[in-house]
C-alpha cells in the first residue's frame, strides 16, 4: 500500500501515473440507470447496482420502512440489493420494489434479532466468541473458536437454544480469536508490527493515518522501519469497547499523505469512505499476507477477544494473519471500508476476520479521508511498497508464535515477487491464506 511517509519537500510528480483498476473483468456495471417512463413491469424489476450504491439504498430504505425492515444484502452475481421485510407487510414490499431493490419476506424482525444479540451479550460474553446478524439467513450467526470448550461451550449452546428455533445458528471455528498486529504498509513500535490503514487529514489539518486501536498498546511512537526513528505518534485510540481504531499523527507536518493503497506494484486511489454491505466483494491489504479478497458476511458484529469485547465490527471471510492488523479493507472502485481488527484461521485454511468500519472511526476522531491527492514521491508508490515489504520480513508479529512468523515471512516474499501488471483480482488470487483464530491483528 502506498502509505509511506512522503515529506512534501521531496515529493515529485510521479511519471507514468497510477495503474487504474479495471483491467480485470470484475469491474461492476454502473448503477441506477434511469427507468423513467418504463412500463410498470420493468419499473418493478430490481435495478443493477454497484455495491456502494446498494449500501446507500439500503440505508435509505431502513429509514423509511421502519419496523418492517429486517436487513439487506448485496447479490454480487446479479448486482442487486435484496431487502428483507417482515412477512405480511405487502405495502412495504411495493415500496422496496419501487426503489429498485428485490424483496424477500422473512420471519425475524430486526428488533427480535437485536434482542437476541442482547441476550448473547448478557449471558454468553465468553472470550473466543462472536455474533452478528446475517441478513441472508435472517438469523444471528454465532461463532465460537477452538478455546470455547466444556462448560463454556455448554453455556454458549444453551444460550443460543434459549433464543428459540430459527433465531440463530452456532458455528465452530478451528482457530482462535485474536488481534493481528501487522498489515498494509508495515509500521513498527517496540517489538510489534502493524499495518497502516488509510492516510487521513486530522481535524486541525495535519497529516495522519488510521490503524487498529489495539496496535496502540505496543507504544505511542511508530516508525516505518523496524528499529527506525519514529515518524508518527498516537493521538487517539480505542480498544476494546465500541471499536478498534487509532489516529496516529505524522510528526512532520510537511508529510504528504496520499489517499491510495499500494497493492504490490499498483496503487488503488481511495476516493471516499463507505459503509459495508453484506455480500459485497472486498479486498484486504496487509504487511504479512499482502492482498486477499472475500465477502462481507455480517455487520455490527460483536467479538469477544481475550483482551475484551469489541462491538460494531464488520465480519468477513477474508483471511488475515498476525501483522495484518490495522490494514486496509477496500473495494476495487476505491471505497475505504474498514481497518483489520482480528479473527481466526489463516490464509492457508481460511477463517473469519473482523474489521473496524472506517466511517465510524473517521467520525470518532474527527478526521477526513486522505489529503486531497498528494503525489507520491521518492520513486513512486511501487518502490515504496516493495521497500515496506522488505522491511516487514524481519518484523516481529505481536501475538504470533514462531510458526506464524515464518508464515508471515513467506507471505511477504510472495507479495514482493508479485508482478506490477496484474489487476487487483489477479493479485488477490495469488495471496497466501494463513489465518487461524479470531484475533485482533496488530
Amino acid at each position: 500500500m502506498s502509505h509511506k511517509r512522503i515529506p512534501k519537500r521531496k515529493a515529485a510528480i510521479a511519471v507514468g501515473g497510477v495503474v487504474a483498476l479495471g483491467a480485470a473483468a470484475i469491474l461492476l456495471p454502473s448503477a441506477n440507470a434511469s427507468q423513467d417512463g418504463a412500463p410498470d413491469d420493468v419499473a418493478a424489476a430490481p435495478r443493477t447496482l454497484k455495491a456502494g450504491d446498494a449500501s446507500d439504498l439500503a440505508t435509505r430504505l431502513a429509514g423509511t420502512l421502519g419496523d418492517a425492515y429486517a436487513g439487506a444484502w448485496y447479490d454480487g452475481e446479479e448486482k442487486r440489493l435484496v431487502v428483507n421485510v417482515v412477512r405480511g407487510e405487502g405495502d412495504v414490499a411495493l415500496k422496496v420494489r419501487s426503489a429498485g431493490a428485490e424483496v424477500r419476506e422473512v420471519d425475524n424482525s430486526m428488533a427480535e434479532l437485536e434482542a437476541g444479540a442482547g441476550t448473547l451479550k448478557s449471558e454468553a460474553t465468553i472470550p473466543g466468541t462472536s455474533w452478528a446478524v446475517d441478513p441472508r439467513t435472517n438469523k444471528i450467526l454465532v461463532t465460537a473458536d477452538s478455546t470455547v470448550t466444556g462448560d463454556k461451550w455448554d453455556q454458549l449452546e444453551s444460550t443460543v437454544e434459549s433464543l428459540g428455533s430459527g433465531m440463530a445458528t452456532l458455528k465452530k471455528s478451528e482457530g482462535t480469536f485474536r488481534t493481528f498486529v501487522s498489515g498494509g504498509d508495515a509500521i513498527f513500535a517496540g517489538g510489534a508490527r502493524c499495518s497502516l490503514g488509510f492516510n487521513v487529514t486530522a481535524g486541525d489539518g495535519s497529516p495522519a493515518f488510521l490503524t487498529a486501536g489495539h496496535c496502540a498498546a505496543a507504544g505511542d511512537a511508530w516508525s516505518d522501519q523496524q528499529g527506525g526513528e519514529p515518524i508518527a505518534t498516537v493521538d487517539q485510540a480505542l480498544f476494546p469497547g465500541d471499536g478498534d481504531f487509532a489516529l496516529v499523527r505524522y510528526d512532520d507536518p510537511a508529510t504528504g499523505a496520499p489517499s491510495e493503497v499500494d497493492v504490490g506494484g499498483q496503487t488503488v486511489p481511495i476516493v471516499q469512505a463507505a459503509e459495508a454491505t453484506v455480500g459485497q466483494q472486498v479486498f484486504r491489504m496487509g504487511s504479512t499476507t499482502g492482498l486477499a479478497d472475500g465477502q462481507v458476511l455480517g455487520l455490527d458484529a460483536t467479538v469477544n477477544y481475550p483482551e475484551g469485547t469489541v462491538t460494531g465490527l464488520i465480519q468477513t471471510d477474508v483471511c488475515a494473519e498476525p501483522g495484518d492488523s490495522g490494514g486496509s479493507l477496500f473495494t476495487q472502485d476505491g471505497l475505504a471500508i474498514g481497518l483489520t481488527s482480528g479473527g481466526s484461521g489463516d490464509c492457508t485454511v481460511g477463517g473469519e476476520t473482523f474489521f473496524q468500519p472506517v466511517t465510524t472511526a473517521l467520525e470518532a476522531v474527527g478526521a477526513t479521508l486522505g489529503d486531497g491527492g498528494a503525489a507520491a514521491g521518492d520513486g513512486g508508490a511501487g518502490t515504496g511498497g516493495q521497500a515496506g515489504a522488505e522491511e516487514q520480513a524481519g518484523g516481529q508479529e505481536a501475538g504470533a508464535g514462531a510458526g506464524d512468523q515464518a508464515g508471515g515471512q513467506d507471505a511477504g516474499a510472495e507479495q514482493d515477487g508479485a508482478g506490477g501488471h496484474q489487476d487487483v483480482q489477479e493479485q488477490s488470487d495469488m495471496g497466501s491464506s494463513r489465518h487461524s483464530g479470531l484475533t485482533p491483528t496488530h
Side-chain angles (χ1 to χ4, degrees), residues 215 221 223 251 266 302 345 405:
C215 292
S223 172
D251 296 335
Q266 298 185 61
T302 295
Q405 293 184 16

Side-chain angles (χ1 to χ4, degrees), residues 115-181:
T119 299
L120 288 163
K121 179 179 179 180
S122 62
E123 299 183 14
T125 298
I126 302 167
T129 62
S130 72
W131 50 82
V133 173
D134 180 2
R136 289 177 292 191
T137 62
N138 188 229
K139 296 180 181 180
I140 304 169
L141 174 60
V142 184
T143 306
D145 73 13
S146 60
T147 68
V148 182
T149 59
D151 292 342
K152 293 180 180 178
W153 172 262
D154 293 341
Q155 177 184 350
L156 179 63
E157 189 175 39
S158 64
T159 303
V160 170
E161 291 175 352
S162 73
L163 301 179
S165 62
M167 280 293 295
T169 56
L170 180 56
K171 173 186 174 183
K172 189 75 171 178
S173 174
E174 295 181 0
T176 57
F177 289 163
R178 55 182 178 172
T179 53
F180 301 130
V181 180

Side-chain angles (χ1 to χ4, degrees), residues 264-316:
Q266 298 185 61
T267 54
V268 179
I270 298 300
V271 296
Q272 68 184 67
E275 301 288 347
T277 303
V278 172
Q280 179 179 24
Q281 183 187 29
V282 285
F283 295 86
R284 176 200 54 74
M285 189 68 188
S287 64
T288 297
T289 57
L291 187 67
D293 74 307
Q295 284 192 353
V296 175
L297 301 180
L299 305 177
D300 197 21
T302 295
V303 186
N304 297 300
Y305 292 123
E307 299 92 336
T309 299
V310 181
T311 60
L313 301 182
I314 302 166
Q315 183 170 352
T316 76

